[in-house]
Amino acid sequence: MTEVYDVIVIGGGPAGYVAAIRAAQLGLKTACVEKWINKQDKPALGGTCLNVGCIPSKALLESTELYETARHNFFDLGINVGEVSLDVPKMIGRKDKVVTELTGGIEMLFKQNGIDWLQGTGQVLADKQVKVTDHKGKDTIHDTENVIIATGSVPIELSATPLEGNIVVDSAGALDWQAVPSSVCVIGAGVIGLELGSVWRRMGSEVVLLEAQDAFLPMVDKAIAKEAQRTFAKQGLDIKLSTRVMGSTVKDGKVVVRFQDAKGEHEQTFDKLIVAVGRRAFTDNICASEVNVQQDERGLFHVNEHCETNVPGIYAIGDVVRGPMLAHKGSEEGVMVAERIAGENSSMNYDVMPNVIYTHPEVAWVGKTEEQLKSEGVDYQVGSFPFAASGRAKAKGDTTGMVKIIRDKSNDRLVGAHLIGPSASELLAQSVLAMEFDATIEDIAHTIHAHPTLSEAVHEAALSADGRAIHIGNRKKRA
Ligand code: FAD
Ligand code: NAD
């Protein structure tokens, strides 16, 4: 008789592989179905995040930021390096090596935790069964007490600008060009557009971003978004808001993009076009027709706060359910669900969800914006501090940006932190922790921060909420 699994996870991205590892740690007999075939034509774990998302984009952002620093900032720091040049194939090769090592690492963790990797495409059947179709088309049926669906998301395509070879690409295609295009158009000035637009701009491409909405980064605190827009424009990213893309045509190895803005219709030729207009949940055929798991009109599985679907024993996590499409959000859901299947009473705090855009400067935030608090009628107070007044930022020669923190005046609790600046992604963690612990602004103000560090900017922002920051002129009159 074949063994019955306690848990089968479908999808081995950051939501699914983390769920599988946590389930196995808790002694549950666990399998993970994953169908991904990587660039080297080999099956791979890690999903979008490790193969074509978070990790490869950050590898290229790192290389290109150092390239830009070497070209433009070393001289100011007293370092003469002669001519700095690029080796794009080597840079892409390094990125691929990082990906291969990390995805191989997940495979190793599966072995160490006794998780069966069922290679192929999974489908949830009725009666607690999962069908796996392997890469040769052979089906096997597996019995399980619980199923966790973690099949992730895929890029949204636009019918007016169909993908074509390596000229009109989605985010995955834009991670693999072997030479620097002289011009790149990006449709969508969202997170991917800004990160990948920055990568190619730093390498020397002229980058134009066409954005349909009239507001830039509407999900970001207004003051931070304004500073980001100003800074990115200064760097050379040409961000065109309120712009409607009408179509594209590939001709003689280039792409002609037609778009419309307040000034009328335009046609511009680029070497490359990246379509980065969001992602959609990948939920097609994940459940056989007799399995009635409820989905919404966008294909997202309906779940409660514990990621339970309407069918007992079937859970859904990560990009296939409500909430931001972020790797860490999916991973935490994976941990929660695995622990609940093992009988623990786990939950997660969706109100304290860190967000980062890995441009330079980085944009990072957690909690509520001023605009949200205003609309909710919350009596709040803001503290802020510019990196221009930070000794460490000055020493680094990297002073663009600020820290802005917000407290609820009724209880002094930190309800939002919004940053733009050097290492904002890392600095955000202290505010995330503070919010998770229900800390007050006074708690942050009381905490001793090492000098000279960038984290002092968060401390000073907390002090500034009471008009007592030391390194900016905010003197309060005594009552
Ligand atoms: P996925 O990572 O999409 O994984 C789903 C997996 O399921 C895939 O491996 C797929 O092959 C598999 N699968 C699907 N259907 C089946 C099936 N029927 N059978 C078997 N396997 C199946 N997020 C961040 O938090 N930080 C970042 O810096 C960041 N950068 C990004 C950069 C880019 C360019 C992109 C595209 C995304 C980025 N994201 C980032 C978003 C992040 O990648 C996703 O939110 C995250 O990967 C979602 O995790 P997931 O496990 O839900 O899905
Ligand atoms: P996004 O939602 O961040 O941005 C898409 C942008 O495209 C939006 O500004 C939207 O208004 C615009 N747009 C949509 N249709 C358009 C059209 N027809 N013409 C012009 N503009 C149009 O989505 P994304 O950048 O594709 O990223 C997808 C997801 O991946 C995001 O939800 C994000 O959560 C995740 N991601 C996260 C990170 C990170 O955490 N650093 C990095 C990359 C991606």
Side-chain angles (χ1 to χ4, degrees):
M1 206 182 91
T2 53
E3 204 170 359
V4 177
Y5 286 103
D6 294 311
V7 183
I8 294 183
V9 184
I10 305 182
Y17 84 71
V18 170
I21 290 174
R22 187 70 190 115
Q25 282 176 347
L26 291 163
L28 301 172
K29 174 76 190 151
T30 306
C32 179
V33 194
E34 174 54 71
K35 66 183 175 67
W36 196 283
I37 299 292
N38 69 12
K39 268 177 76 175
Q40 292 77 30
D41 248 349
K42 296 215 170 91
L45 293 164
T48 303
C49 171
L50 270 72
N51 289 285
V52 292
C54 324
I55 297 299
S57 60
K58 268 76 240 175
L60 293 183
L61 280 158
E62 188 65 29
S63 293
T64 56
E65 189 181 329
L66 290 173
Y67 173 61
E68 189 157 76
T69 304
R71 283 204 313 158
H72 299 300
N73 304 100
F74 273 13
F75 183 74
D76 289 344
L77 299 175
I79 306 168
N80 298 323
V81 285
E83 200 190 331
V84 179
S85 64
L86 271 177
D87 183 339
V88 183
K90 189 166 178 185
M91 202 184 270
I92 300 293
R94 183 193 87 94
K95 177 262 300 176
D96 289 341
K97 189 161 173 272
V98 170
V99 168
T100 311
E101 285 175 3
L102 288 175
T103 54
I106 307 294
E107 197 175 336
M108 190 96 80
L109 287 171
F110 270 24
K111 283 193 185 127
Q112 286 165 355
N113 284 285
I115 299 163
D116 293 337
W117 174 9
L118 308 174
Q119 294 180 3
T121 302
Q123 190 184 43
V124 187
L125 306 179
D127 302 328
K128 298 188 169 186
Q129 289 190 317
V130 170
K131 180 173 83 177
V132 179
T133 307
D134 74 12
H135 294 299
K136 291 187 178 133
K138 184 170 170 273
D139 289 343
T140 47
I141 307 287
H142 301 265
D143 295 312
T144 183
E145 294 298 332
N146 299 281
V147 178
I148 304 176
I149 302 172
T151 49
S153 63
V154 289
I156 293 175
E157 293 185 24
L158 293 178
S159 56
T161 57
L163 303 187
E164 202 165 328
N166 73 352
I167 298 180
V168 183
V169 297
D170 58 18
S171 54
L175 295 167
D176 272 335
W177 293 325
Q178 297 289 322
V180 181
S182 61
S183 57
V184 177
C185 177
V186 188
I187 309 182
V191 192
I192 291 180
L194 291 170
E195 290 187 357
L196 295 185
S198 295
V199 162
W200 292 103
R201 181 201 59 73
R202 291 170 190 171
M203 291 210 246
S205 303
E206 175 205 328
V207 177
V208 177
L209 295 104
L210 307 178
E211 168 59 51
Q213 297 190 77
D214 54 0
F216 178 65
L217 294 179
M219 67 291 203
V220 174
D221 177 272
K222 257 200 181 128
I224 302 287
K226 200 169 154 201
E227 175 77 2
Q229 189 175 3
R230 199 185 56 82
T231 308
F232 298 152
K234 221 165 101 188
Q235 292 171 351
L237 283 181
D238 182 1
I239 302 166
K240 297 183 192 298
L241 300 175
S242 307
T243 301
R244 201 165 73 85
V245 177
M246 292 146 71
S248 66
T249 313
V250 172
K251 212 171 138 191
D252 303 330
K254 294 189 183 281
V255 55
V256 181
V257 181
R258 293 177 302 284
F259 56 94
Q260 191 176 36
D261 60 18
K263 292 188 195 129
E265 288 184 15
H266 311 269
E267 210 176 80
Q268 197 170 336
T269 303
F270 297 90
D271 281 359
K272 306 280 184 193
L273 172 63
I274 307 173
V275 182
V277 294
R279 297 178 63 83
R280 67 173 176 84
F282 183 72
T283 51
D284 312 343
N285 296 321
I286 301 303
C287 297
S289 52
E290 66 272 19
V291 185
N292 291 315
V293 179
Q294 281 172 5
Q295 289 174 256
D296 71 10
E297 65 288 348
R298 289 182 296 156
L300 293 170
F301 290 113
H302 270 299
V303 287
N304 63 13
E305 77 273 27
H306 297 134
C307 292
E308 293 161 341
T309 68
N310 58 307
V311 179
I314 301 182
Y315 302 80
I317 58 174
D319 283 5
V320 293
V321 300
R322 82 283 176 264
M325 288 184 167
L326 295 172
H328 43 277
K329 176 256 188 190
S331 297
E332 284 309 311
E333 289 178 335
V335 168
M336 171 179 69
V337 167
E339 290 179 352
R340 292 185 74 84
I341 290 173
E344 296 183 10
N345 189 23
S346 301
S347 61
M348 73 182 256
N349 185 359
Y350 285 92
D351 290 338
V352 184
M353 185 68 67
N355 287 270
V356 178
I357 306 175
Y358 295 85
T359 43
H360 189 90
E362 291 177 339
V363 178
W365 70 98
V366 61
K368 303 256 165 94
T369 61
E370 265 198 81
E371 295 74 39
Q372 284 168 325
L373 291 165
K374 231 176 255 168
S375 72
E376 289 169 16
V378 176
D379 193 11
Y380 67 89
Q381 190 173 23
V382 173
S384 65
F385 191 78
F387 282 105
S390 149
R392 185 63 186 274
K394 264 267 193 274
K396 281 168 72 68
D398 198 353
T399 53
T400 302
M402 65 174 132
V403 176
K404 177 171 167 180
I405 62 177
I406 312 181
R407 72 158 157 225
D408 181 334
K409 270 168 99 175
S410 69
N411 54 19
D412 194 34
R413 294 244 161 84
L414 179 65
V415 286
H418 307 272
L419 294 83
I420 177 167
S423 302
S425 57
E426 304 293 345
L427 293 179
L428 184 70
Q430 61 182 302
S431 298
V432 175
L433 194 66
M435 282 180 67
E436 189 61 39
F437 284 11
D438 272 341
T440 62
I441 294 269
E442 188 61 23
D443 292 323
I444 300 173
H446 262 304
T447 305
I448 302 172
H449 288 69
H451 177 74
T453 56
L454 295 171
S455 66
E456 286 173 298
V458 179
H459 185 226
E460 290 267 19
L463 291 170
S464 98
D466 283 330
R468 55 189 174 118
I470 300 297
H471 295 94
I472 47 172
N474 55 359
R475 194 154 61 98
K476 240 186 167 183
K477 288 211 173 75
R478 294 188 80 150

